[in-house]
Amino acid sequence: MSKYSEENISRIGNAAIYIAEHTSDLSKTKLLKLLYLMEERSALKYQQPFLGLPYEVWQAGPVAKDIYIDLSDGAILLSKYLKTELVKLDDGKDAQYIHPVAAFDDEDFSAYEIRLMDEVLKEYGDKTATELVDIVHKENTLWYQIAKEHGLLDAFKKHECNNSDYVIDFTKAMMPCAAEYYKEALAIHNASNAYNSDHV
């Protein structure tokens, strides 16, 4: 995640803290799905990037690969914000749970972004990780459409592969003018992040 600026890491970390403070049993999978649903809501409803993270089409749904890797390594780059705890579940499997190590700092967020997080958490925050995976797997979702288009549904179902390099393109679910507006907003976001990353 070194390609991200300090500001972007702060936004990711604080978004995760906000989610942790407003949900229970926050596993790595649940956090990743809630971050995706916030990004999707921001893109499709407001034509604005939320964190601007790319989400790849994986077996368990859309995944921000860099965040997944960092959390799997024990939240190294996000260590100012989160810690992970390995928990043995009743079925004998291991799961990683996320705990905040700092209080939420709203400095990097607009009122709209706080409202967006609240909207998503009100709708999905009480769901389990498994329920969230089912939600992002539904036939009308972008994940499903891209997985089907590239012949991944069977491979995922049979556990022949767990991930892919295909990235969710939110503009596929937008009207042309909204798609152009979103592309411009994302380009500005990415340019700003690249500029900040070069100057830290």
Side-chain angles (χ1 to χ4, degrees):
M1 272 178 52
S2 57
K3 63 187 174 185
Y4 295 106
S5 67
E6 284 298 318
E7 178 187 349
N8 212 276
I9 291 170
S10 173
R11 282 175 53 79
I12 295 165
N14 274 294
I17 288 170
Y18 196 81
I19 291 168
E21 289 178 348
H22 292 83
T23 60
S24 59
D25 299 323
L26 186 61
S27 65
K28 178 173 68 174
T29 300
K30 183 172 178 174
L31 173 62
L32 289 166
K33 296 304 160 258
L34 288 171
L35 286 172
Y36 170 76
L37 289 164
M38 288 174 180
E39 196 72 48
E40 181 185 67
R41 175 78 52 97
S42 187
L44 300 185
K45 187 173 180 180
Y46 302 107
Q47 290 79 56
Q48 291 291 318
F50 175 54
L51 298 173
L53 298 170
Y55 286 85
E56 294 181 355
V57 175
W58 286 20
Q59 188 274 331
V63 173
K65 180 180 178 180
D66 295 332
I67 307 300
Y68 174 87
I69 291 169
D70 190 55
L71 294 175
S72 298
D73 290 342
I76 295 164
L77 284 169
L78 293 171
S79 62
K80 286 170 44 179
Y81 311 94
L82 310 169
K83 67 177 180 179
T84 62
E85 175 192 13
L86 200 59
V87 175
K88 186 73 77 177
L89 301 176
D90 292 340
D91 61 6
K93 292 181 181 175
D94 291 334
Q96 271 187 307
Y97 280 79
I98 311 298
H99 304 285
V101 296
F104 175 69
D105 181 356
D106 67 359
E107 184 177 317
D108 295 327
F109 296 90
S110 66
Y112 138 74
E113 289 170 324
I114 301 285
R115 195 166 60 247
L116 170 80
M117 289 193 287
D118 286 339
E119 277 180 22
V120 171
L121 291 172
K122 183 176 180 184
E123 191 170 344
Y124 300 109
D126 63 346
K127 307 284 186 203
T128 66
T130 303
E131 289 171 330
L132 291 173
V133 168
D134 290 344
I135 287 166
V136 298
H137 276 195
K138 286 183 179 175
E139 284 193 30
N140 61 340
T141 64
L142 286 167
W143 175 90
Y144 184 92
Q145 291 168 17
I146 294 167
K148 184 177 180 183
E149 180 183 330
H150 295 285
L152 293 169
L153 291 175
D154 247 10
F156 285 157
K157 190 174 184 180
K158 295 175 183 173
H159 298 282
E160 293 172 350
C161 69
N162 288 324
N163 54 39
S164 79
D165 294 331
Y166 296 108
V167 175
I168 300 283
D169 180 0
F170 294 114
T171 63
K172 288 184 179 287
M174 296 179 187
M175 298 295 285
C177 59
E180 284 306 311
Y181 186 83
Y182 174 74
K183 285 179 188 173
E184 287 176 20
L186 186 61
I188 292 166
H189 171 87
N190 289 339
S192 170
N193 188 48
Y195 173 84
N196 289 333
S197 187
D198 290 342
H199 291 78
V200 292

